[in-house]
Amino acid sequence: MSIRLLSLLKPTTTLLSASSTASCRIIPSHSITSKIAKMTLSYTAERAQELTENLSGVRSKMETVLHSKGAAAQQARLVAVSKLKPASDILATYEKAGHRNFGENYVQELEEKSKQLPSDIQWHFIGSLQSNKCKIVAAIPNLYVVETVDSSKKASTLDKACTSASRPEPLRIFLQVNTSGEETKSGMLPNDVLEVARHVVSTCPHLKLAGFMTIGSPNPALENGENPDFKILNECRSDVEESLKLNGLELSMGMSDDFQQALIQGSTNIRVGSTIFGSRPPFKSAA
């Protein structure tokens, strides 16, 4: 039986030398206007080995879950969440582990890293997207998907930004859904998903509705072996696909603590950060 894990591994083309003295500018804090930390793109063999082993561990667990599903297994993508981590970590994971999909939460950090790192990286924007940042995001040529579109207004603003950026193809987006109803979390409510999806499909020609994203509740009580947040996201997808006659929409759900359960429930896109890169510095001390 073949493993349904999306490897997304391409021959490792070293576009930037591991010993390069080039530097990149990233903003590793909530304050996008705080001072920019310069970080070298060089990395040690020990750090590269650590990252490769961590990534392999996550891939192995993915493969185990997908194998257990047998013929019902879906394809799944691993997004290495690299927010607040130096560009050298990304380059090491790119060169030594052949990984290509990376996720960032902050627009300016993503912009700076995308300029310094190989152009075949597939960037996922997974942070809160402000309307005034849509032009910056849309101008990143190797942006693979924006996972956090949470309203019709945001979709229209991003669509307009894509027009200005002259992107050669529609930009993939996921609709972020607040499946738990927690006030501290972003995302539209499940009842609003179909309306926003219809808006994207009918009025945003420069966007491609590619799926849905949610952040599950911490330590949820499983119901008949299912995470209720992941179940709701599945229901949102089914409703949209049936109502709008679409198919193949993705589910971005599952992070370091719950990605295995997410895969069991059909996730096609998991977002794993600390398990691969280690704990992140506090916002204030990272600046």
Side-chain angles (χ1 to χ4, degrees), residues 4-283:
R4 299 288 184 109
L5 170 63
L6 281 184
S7 64
L8 295 172
L9 302 183
K10 302 177 182 178
T12 303
T13 303
T14 305
L15 302 184
L16 293 174
S17 170
S19 60
S20 171
T21 57
S23 62
C24 64
R25 299 163 63 231
I26 65 172
I27 291 192
S29 74
H30 267 311
S31 177
I32 298 302
T33 58
S34 64
K35 70 176 182 178
I36 296 174
K38 293 184 178 180
M39 295 188 179
T40 178
L41 289 177
S42 64
Y43 54 82
T44 65
E46 291 76 14
R47 179 57 173 165
Q49 181 178 355
E50 177 186 14
L51 293 171
T52 298
E53 290 176 353
N54 291 345
L55 190 72
S56 296
V58 175
R59 286 174 177 161
S60 178
K61 291 178 180 178
M62 291 179 68
E63 292 168 359
T64 298
V65 172
L66 295 173
H67 263 314
S68 71
K69 298 184 70 174
Q74 74 279 6
Q75 292 185 327
R77 177 189 305 104
L78 170 59
V79 179
V81 179
S82 47
K83 68 175 182 179
L84 303 183
K85 289 297 181 176
S88 58
D89 275 3
I90 301 173
L91 186 61
T93 309
Y94 171 97
E95 291 186 333
K96 302 303 181 182
H99 201 68
R100 294 295 182 269
N101 284 266
F102 294 90
E104 291 289 339
N105 286 61
Y106 306 116
V107 172
Q108 197 163 346
E109 185 177 1
L110 170 59
E111 181 187 26
E112 295 297 335
K113 286 178 175 177
S114 69
K115 291 176 180 177
Q116 296 295 326
L117 291 162
S119 61
D120 62 334
I121 284 178
Q122 295 183 319
W123 293 106
H124 295 236
F125 183 73
I126 60 175
S128 179
L129 180 60
Q130 298 176 333
S131 295
N132 62 352
K133 299 293 184 180
C134 285
K135 284 187 177 181
I136 299 175
V137 169
I140 297 173
N142 54 329
L143 178 66
Y144 181 70
V145 62
V146 174
E147 298 199 17
T148 49
V149 175
D150 57 7
S151 68
S152 295
K153 181 178 179 181
K154 190 72 61 65
S156 293
T157 302
L158 187 58
D159 181 73
K160 184 178 180 180
C162 288
T163 304
S164 300
S166 300
R167 296 185 67 90
E169 297 178 354
L171 174 62
R172 294 163 55 90
I173 66 165
F174 294 163
L175 299 184
Q176 183 176 3
V177 185
N178 185 344
T179 52
S180 63
E182 297 172 80
E183 294 183 358
T184 56
K185 289 184 178 176
S186 300
M188 68 193 77
L189 295 176
N191 289 341
D192 296 327
V193 171
L194 179 57
E195 178 184 351
V196 177
R198 181 177 286 113
H199 174 81
V200 172
V201 172
S202 62
T203 68
C204 299
H206 301 96
L207 301 181
K208 175 180 175 57
L209 178 61
F212 307 91
M213 183 271 247
T214 194
I215 300 173
S217 303
N219 304 313
L222 299 185
E223 301 173 1
N224 297 318
E226 290 188 318
N227 180 313
D229 293 318
F230 300 159
K231 181 180 180 181
I232 289 174
L233 200 67
N234 268 284
E235 292 171 348
C236 289
R237 177 176 67 175
S238 296
D239 186 26
V240 169
E241 288 189 337
E242 180 179 356
S243 299
L244 302 184
K245 308 304 179 185
L246 302 174
N247 58 70
L249 296 178
E250 293 197 42
L251 296 176
S252 176
M253 55 190 195
M255 299 187 292
S256 288
D257 293 334
D258 57 9
F259 73 83
Q260 290 167 285
Q261 180 63 38
L263 289 170
I264 290 173
Q265 291 183 234
S267 178
T268 60
N269 189 85
I270 64 171
R271 311 176 304 274
V272 179
S274 58
T275 300
I276 297 171
F277 295 103
S279 59
R280 300 182 183 90
F283 289 126

